[in-house]
Amino acid sequence: MANMCSLASVRRVVVLALVGALTACASGSDALKPADLGANPALLGVRTAWTGKIAPVDFPLQAKVTGQTVALAGNDGAVLSLDARSGAVLWRTEVGGPIAAGVGSDGRFSAVVTRANELVVLEAGQVRWRAGLTAQVFTAPLVAGERVFVLAADRSVAAFDASSGRKLWQQQRPGEALVLRQAGVLTAVGNTLVAGLSGHLVGMNPVNGNTVWDATLAAPRGTNDIERLVDLVGGFSRNGNELCVRAFQSAVGCVDALRGSVIWKRVAAGAVGVHGDDAQVYGVESDSRVLAWQRANGQPVWTSDRLLYRKLSAPLVLGRSVVMGDATGLVHLLSRADGTPLTRLSTDGSAIEVTPVVAAGTLVVVTRNGGVYGFQPE
């Protein structure tokens, strides 16, 4: 970890692995004891409906829900689509190398990026085309409007024709020396492509990549590269045209994605994305405190310290609960109303770093060891 902290002296684009690096630099090597959970309150009836297995996951996997299916990928280069109701594998394809980012999908095309910096697009579970990229990628490609969009670690955004693989455009933006080895923000709101570029949420014309608007959520601070690190992290909350996101260890804020205006932003020291409903936005701080803010103005609603130092995943809003996984493979469901524990679920004991998703009424959870779990209400 000492080598991680010394990266501040390196003056080039360097990928910074997350996993507590900045916390360790600041506080030394003493581990903080995870909060004692006590008895499971079991206030919600949830059962394990099915289980599956993929290769271990040590890249920033983003599980992609399309209708009743979930697209996943593992370290070994296998991309697969599951029926969320039963866990049945609908198709499985090897892309020929370890995966660095994925999965993006619109239901017809699916896309991943390999560690060899190759964009691979599949159709109906078969490889349709491949294209070499000039930089590393940690964010799942966005497949939308018959195009595939890629956000790279050099803060470039590129667009490809989904059918032919023809490169349509690429836009490059200057940035600070460090980037996170973590998924960033890449989505579409109406006819606007929205990308997280350093501490900015940027609206782009998907036809040519031209900037439509630029909203600043965080600015570099400090005197060295690590202190100046600014990135928007993957996992966002959308309500209509309003997009709420997190700037790494800096802020949480909401932006009007039509006008590009910042609605509100608030200081927050977290490293994973946010989720929300029409009334509140939920997030996890680096010490695993769980917070809720009013969606309209960012005012705090509640804070829960029941899961301190348990290294939580980004949250998912599901029914009357907020769902997160932890470093021991437990899945925690907290009340959206006040953060009190409702129940917890067990997996294979390995860390849950992939944000849980829901499809066809099934909560789908993926562990670092490649366990895939479908949970359904009883």
Side-chain angles (χ1 to χ4, degrees):
M1 194 63 71
N3 290 338
M4 186 72 70
C5 298
S6 68
L7 282 176
S9 63
V10 181
R11 302 304 305 177
R12 63 180 186 276
V13 174
V14 179
V15 175
L16 178 66
L18 182 57
V19 197
L22 300 189
T23 301
C25 292
S27 60
S29 59
D30 293 338
L32 297 171
K33 184 179 179 181
D36 180 39
L37 297 175
N40 186 351
L43 298 177
L44 291 178
V46 183
R47 66 184 179 89
T48 304
W50 52 263
T51 62
K53 184 70 175 176
I54 60 175
V57 178
D58 67 1
F59 66 96
L61 170 66
Q62 294 166 275
K64 178 61 179 178
V65 174
T66 307
Q68 297 179 339
T69 68
V70 180
L72 301 172
N75 288 350
D76 60 353
V79 183
L80 63 156
S81 177
L82 300 177
D83 184 323
R85 297 163 299 183
S86 65
V89 177
L90 303 177
W91 54 258
R92 180 187 181 101
T93 302
E94 301 286 339
V95 298
I99 293 174
V103 179
S105 180
D106 66 353
R108 176 185 174 188
F109 297 104
S110 299
V112 296
V113 178
T114 70
R115 295 185 189 177
N117 297 347
E118 186 177 51
L119 171 63
V120 184
V121 172
L122 305 94
E123 183 178 12
Q126 301 297 316
V127 174
R128 177 72 181 256
W129 54 265
R130 301 169 183 266
L133 303 173
T134 58
Q136 292 176 289
V137 174
F138 304 113
T139 304
L142 172 67
V143 185
E146 299 294 316
R147 294 178 175 88
V148 179
F149 301 96
V150 178
L151 171 64
D154 64 354
R155 296 182 176 87
S156 66
V157 181
F160 299 81
D161 183 276
S163 295
S164 67
R166 181 172 63 90
K167 190 173 187 178
L168 302 174
W169 54 261
Q170 179 167 330
Q171 297 286 1
Q172 180 75 52
R173 188 182 183 101
E176 296 296 322
L178 290 181
V179 295
L180 294 169
R181 187 183 182 275
Q182 184 174 346
V185 177
L186 187 64
T187 188
V189 178
N191 294 323
T192 303
L193 175 67
V194 181
L197 298 169
S198 295
H200 299 249
L201 198 62
V202 179
M204 309 174 76
N205 184 332
V207 176
N208 53 26
N210 289 343
T211 297
V212 178
W213 51 258
D214 187 325
T216 303
L217 288 170
R221 59 201 186 282
T223 58
N224 61 49
D225 286 347
I226 287 182
E227 291 174 344
R228 291 178 60 81
L229 172 63
V230 179
D231 255 336
L232 301 188
V233 299
F236 56 83
S237 174
R238 180 183 173 187
N239 185 41
N241 297 321
E242 184 181 284
L243 205 60
C244 301
V245 299
R246 179 187 293 278
F248 177 73
Q249 298 288 11
S250 169
V252 168
C254 294
V255 170
D256 183 320
L258 286 186
R259 298 179 176 87
S261 56
V262 177
I263 300 169
W264 61 264
K265 59 183 175 181
R266 180 169 290 273
V267 173
V272 296
V274 298
H275 204 224
D277 50 39
D278 59 358
Q280 296 178 169
V281 178
Y282 308 90
V284 174
E285 301 294 89
S286 291
D287 61 2
S288 295
R289 294 178 194 272
V290 184
L291 285 76
W293 299 273
Q294 290 183 24
R295 188 174 202 101
N297 54 26
Q299 291 299 311
V301 179
W302 54 257
T303 300
S304 172
D305 60 4
R306 303 290 187 93
L307 304 175
L308 278 180
Y309 311 122
R310 300 199 68 87
K311 299 181 181 177
L312 300 178
S313 72
L316 166 74
V317 173
L318 177 61
R320 63 187 181 99
S321 64
V322 183
V323 184
M324 295 143 292
D326 74 13
T328 67
L330 294 175
V331 182
H332 303 272
L333 283 75
L334 307 183
S335 167
R336 286 166 51 186
D338 57 13
T340 56
L342 297 177
T343 194
R344 62 177 177 265
L345 313 168
S346 297
T347 60
D348 60 13
S350 66
I352 299 170
E353 296 168 348
V354 180
T355 305
V357 296
V358 62
T362 303
L363 173 64
V364 180
V365 175
V366 182
T367 72
R368 181 184 290 176
N369 285 351
V372 186
Y373 294 79
F375 297 103
Q376 295 174 347
E378 293 182 332

